[in-house]
Amino acid sequence: MAGLDQFIKENEATHIYCRTLNNLLPHIKGVSFYHIPDKHYADKQEYYITSTNSDTNETGNIAIEFIHDENTEEDNRFALYQPEGCRS
């Protein structure tokens, strides 16, 4: 098991504690990359994937985490969304 243990809530937000180290094995990390988005928030390191919006052709990075969902007992990559104005 490589994913972080979490109970994922269905139909509502789930608070995720992201990794603090770049410690995923290459075959799990895949095309994602580890990045500290802002030097003032060095504790907010996250894995990202680069994605292109097919409607606008704009490219951007999406924060992800590899999580072991204790509800389903499966490891999966989850996209992380942060509500506007929140930083915790």
Side-chain angles (χ1 to χ4, degrees):
M1 179 178 61
L4 298 174
D5 284 331
Q6 291 275 168
F7 282 106
I8 303 299
K9 300 174 190 170
E10 289 189 31
N11 303 318
E12 64 179 284
T14 301
H15 187 101
I16 302 295
Y17 295 95
C18 295
R19 294 168 196 273
T20 57
L21 298 171
N22 182 9
N23 61 357
L24 281 178
L25 297 173
H27 71 281
I28 295 171
K29 190 183 314 185
V31 297
S32 69
F33 59 94
Y34 195 71
H35 178 66
I36 301 172
D38 186 327
K39 67 180 179 181
H40 299 291
Y41 295 97
D43 62 332
K44 296 292 180 190
Q45 304 98 319
E46 294 172 331
Y47 284 95
Y48 290 86
I49 58 170
T50 301
S51 178
T52 302
N53 183 321
S54 60
D55 295 330
T56 64
N57 217 26
E58 291 182 28
T59 300
N61 295 328
I62 299 172
I64 62 168
E65 186 57 75
F66 193 68
I67 298 171
H68 176 77
D69 184 348
E70 292 186 344
N71 297 316
T72 62
E73 292 297 319
E74 294 179 352
D75 288 335
N76 287 299
R77 290 173 188 84
F78 288 85
L80 305 179
Y81 296 98
Q82 185 171 347
E84 193 79 24
C86 290
R87 194 176 270 289
S88 59

